[in-house]
Amino acid sequence: MTTPSAILAVEKLSVDFGGLHALRDVYLELYSQEVVGVIGPNGAGKSTLFNALCGIVEPTDGSLTLNGISHAWPKTHELADLGIARTLQGVGLFPDLTVLENVMIGATKFANSGFISAAFGRSKDEARLRERAMLALERVYGTGFAHRRADSLSYPDSKRIAIARALVSEPKILMLDEPAGGLGEEDILWMNGLIHNLKLQCSVLLVEHHMDVVMSVCDRIYVLNFGEVISSGDSEKVRRDPAVIAAYLGTGVE
Ligand code: ADP
Ligand code: MG
């Protein structure tokens, strides 16, 4: 039996900002229906890794394969077609649009014509987008908020809507940047369950500071420190790795 290809594989990724090596020779694989965590102290390079995968920063070196096929580093406008979606570290909803409209904006790749006009102008497109957006809202248990203005939501509720907006494009790879950040204990448990369920539909790449979330939802974890992968494996392996313990000693990672 052959091993299935990773849906996403990064090799020898380096990113320099001037003289600073933000990432050096980073490797990472993500398989179908897997939740993979990227952890590391502040400044380790986690956001830079996400940004390289999303076309926000340009790698100095390295290669990317998607489903076993070599691919140039994606540009931001190609992400939806490549089946990649991300949430932002902040929430990033349009405050004076409704929740449903915010989620519909994530689905405009399914429309025949351009962006806002497709979402809000043409009745056939609009009905289709509305339906997809409602389904995405259902997946985060958010249909009850559909017609509220985004700025009337609590912070935890707006985080789940941001996830619905990413899900509506039906990504194969969902990148979540600190989904549990700023949440209280009860909402963290809820987010934990949601991430766990998400992998039934897609693979998840997760940057998260809450170690209990990372340890409980991730199938595998990569640990970055000063731009390099210092450990990778399942949570037990990573938790006990002396290199990880040493890198975190004194940095107060929970
Ligand atoms: P993390 O997300 O793990 O906290 P980052 O990826 O944000 O780390 O940062 C990695 C390193 O790269 C840090 O030293 C940071 O200061 C630097 N860095 C990040 N983005 C930029 C940028 N746009 N220009 C210059 N330096 C940057
Ligand atoms: Mg960061």
Side-chain angles (χ1 to χ4, degrees):
M1 212 173 82
T2 54
T3 320
S5 298
I7 59 167
L8 177 144
V10 167
E11 272 183 66
K12 290 188 168 299
L13 169 62
S14 296
V15 175
D16 292 348
F17 294 115
L20 178 90
H21 302 300
L23 294 176
R24 180 172 289 185
D25 289 341
V26 165
Y27 57 90
L28 180 142
E29 287 185 330
L30 179 66
Y31 287 87
S32 184
Q33 299 192 319
E34 210 184 18
V35 178
V36 164
V38 179
I39 63 172
N42 272 338
K46 305 177 297 292
S47 294
T48 304
L49 171 61
F50 264 33
N51 289 341
L53 289 169
C54 290
I56 294 168
V57 302
E58 200 173 335
T60 319
D61 211 345
S63 64
L64 172 72
T65 52
L66 297 173
N67 296 308
I69 298 167
S70 175
H71 201 283
W73 293 100
K75 305 280 183 227
T76 44
H77 66 270
E78 296 172 332
L79 292 176
D81 286 338
L82 292 173
I84 301 173
R86 81 175 290 184
T87 61
L88 303 168
Q89 200 166 327
V91 171
L93 298 179
F94 293 103
D96 51 356
L97 296 184
T98 66
V99 164
L100 183 63
E101 286 164 343
N102 266 285
V103 177
M104 285 167 74
I105 283 170
T108 46
K109 81 159 185 171
F110 294 109
N112 296 325
S113 54
F115 193 47
I116 299 289
S117 66
F120 303 112
R122 297 163 178 247
S123 57
K124 219 170 95 194
D125 280 345
E126 185 170 330
R128 211 154 42 104
L129 293 186
R130 197 172 286 273
E131 201 176 307
R132 280 185 187 282
M134 283 306 269
L135 285 173
L137 280 172
E138 235 169 66
R139 283 157 70 182
V140 301
Y141 309 100
T143 49
F145 306 124
H147 302 292
R148 282 182 40 191
R149 269 174 62 118
D151 60 3
S152 74
L153 297 181
S154 67
Y155 184 68
D157 287 339
S158 54
K159 287 203 97 147
R160 69 166 94 178
I161 301 312
I163 292 178
R165 187 175 54 182
L167 282 177
V168 76
S169 66
E170 296 180 3
K172 294 188 183 62
I173 299 168
L174 178 62
M175 296 169 55
L176 299 176
D177 203 348
E178 301 204 16
L183 299 185
E185 232 167 83
E186 207 171 296
D187 290 310
I188 286 177
L189 277 181
W190 184 89
M191 188 59 81
N192 230 341
L194 178 67
I195 296 169
H196 203 265
N197 289 341
L198 285 177
K199 73 174 175 179
L200 300 172
Q201 291 132 11
C202 57
S203 302
V204 179
L205 201 54
L206 175 73
V207 167
E208 182 53 66
H209 278 296
H210 285 275
M211 282 304 117
D212 39 355
V213 173
V214 172
M215 293 297 168
S216 67
V217 301
C218 292
D219 298 295
R220 290 184 305 113
I221 297 166
Y222 290 82
V223 186
L224 288 179
N225 194 33
F226 293 115
E228 296 186 33
V229 177
I230 59 164
S231 182
S232 65
D234 64 30
S235 57
E236 273 312 299
K237 180 183 168 212
V238 161
R239 203 200 294 262
R240 291 165 197 274
D241 188 333
V244 177
I245 295 167
Y248 285 152
L249 279 180
T251 62
V253 167
E254 319 82 290

